[in-house]
Amino acid sequence: MKILAPSILSADFLCLGEQVSTVVKAGAQWIHCDIMDGAFVPNLTFGPAIVQAVNRCTDVPLDVHLMIKNPDLIIPEFIKAGADYITVHAEEVVHLHRTVSLIRDLGAKPGVAINPATPLCMVEEILPFIDLVLIMSVNPGFGGQKFITSSLDKIRRLDTLRQKKGYNFLIEVDGGVNENTITQLSDAGCDVFVAGSAVFQGNVTDSVQVLKEKLRNT
């Protein structure tokens, strides 16, 4: 099943609960929460309190992407807030297996993200222990960036490795996902599609339905 995960980074926070309810009613299966600390990436977003608020207004899985330094210090708070998936960056976490184990032990599903210039070999050893690999198809920090096309080849190679080894992790992509790129990403082997600007800039219901229709045709 192909999963659409709208990123609330692009939502209108004055009516966040309403926008979350609208995208879920329109067919989104997950909600994606981009957590940035102004240090690991050049932007500052929100913390566990917003995740907890979103959790109160929807029953769909909350997909929390930690673009922060020292994520181990705050992972428990995000899981208490209702995170179902917690994804950390391979570029930041030194003891990746320990962090992945912490996430699972606390009751969430662990994921690992890699930036556009990070090779797949950085995560190859952790693949048997995680539920999700997040391929960044833009440089993290801001929404609305242009899609980096070389990400397609990275997704294909990761999907080939997954099939060869019999792994069960999901492949997620974040950055530049819209009606022009989503079909290519799906064909390459992606399972979870994080869309921010493509969902929230315009009619939210129509945007979700257009993306869902594209996925149904792949």
Side-chain angles (χ1 to χ4, degrees):
M1 182 177 66
K2 303 293 184 176
I3 297 168
L4 182 64
S7 169
I8 61 170
L9 180 64
S10 298
D12 183 350
F13 273 58
L14 286 176
C15 51
L16 181 58
E18 179 183 338
Q19 292 216 314
V20 168
S21 297
T22 299
V23 296
V24 171
K25 185 177 180 180
Q29 297 105 312
W30 291 7
I31 295 296
H32 187 83
C33 302
D34 287 306
I35 312 301
M36 306 180 192
D37 63 356
F40 180 68
V41 293
N43 196 4
L44 187 65
T45 57
F46 50 86
I50 295 296
V51 173
Q52 187 176 45
V54 172
N55 190 45
R56 288 199 298 267
C57 66
T58 185
D59 293 327
V60 303
L62 300 186
D63 176 31
V64 174
H65 177 197
L66 298 182
M67 290 170 275
I68 63 175
K69 289 187 171 294
N70 301 313
D72 290 40
L73 300 178
I74 194 89
I75 282 169
E77 296 306 313
F78 279 106
I79 294 176
K80 288 178 186 176
D84 296 283
Y85 288 81
I86 295 274
T87 297
V88 297
H89 269 262
E91 299 89 356
E92 167 61 22
V93 179
V94 176
H95 302 290
L96 193 52
H97 186 275
R98 180 183 296 164
T99 299
V100 163
S101 298
L102 171 66
I103 294 167
R104 195 176 299 284
D105 289 346
L106 291 176
K109 295 180 179 180
V112 174
I114 54 174
N115 288 333
T118 302
L120 286 177
C121 63
M122 286 286 291
V123 296
E124 193 166 348
E125 297 300 324
I126 200 66
L127 293 178
F129 306 100
I130 58 178
D131 291 279
L132 182 150
V133 177
L134 172 54
I135 302 296
M136 292 300 301
S137 47
V138 299
N139 291 295
F142 299 95
Q145 296 185 67
K146 185 178 179 181
F147 178 73
I148 298 173
T149 57
S150 60
S151 304
L152 290 167
D153 180 60
K154 186 181 285 187
I155 293 167
R156 291 187 193 100
R157 287 185 284 119
L158 182 59
D159 183 44
T160 298
L161 179 61
R162 174 173 61 175
Q163 295 181 51
K164 180 180 178 181
K165 297 288 188 178
Y167 295 146
N168 294 315
F169 60 81
L170 297 170
I171 299 175
E172 182 175 44
V173 67
D174 186 356
V177 177
N178 55 45
E179 60 181 296
N180 298 317
T181 60
I182 197 167
T183 299
Q184 300 174 70
L185 289 164
S186 181
D187 291 343
C190 186
D191 307 293
V192 184
F193 306 81
V194 178
S197 301
V199 168
F200 291 105
Q201 290 184 0
N203 184 293
V204 174
T205 297
D206 290 348
S207 298
V208 170
Q209 291 176 350
V210 166
L211 294 174
K212 291 280 291 183
E213 183 63 26
K214 291 280 186 179
L215 289 177
R216 279 192 288 270
N217 292 330
T218 60

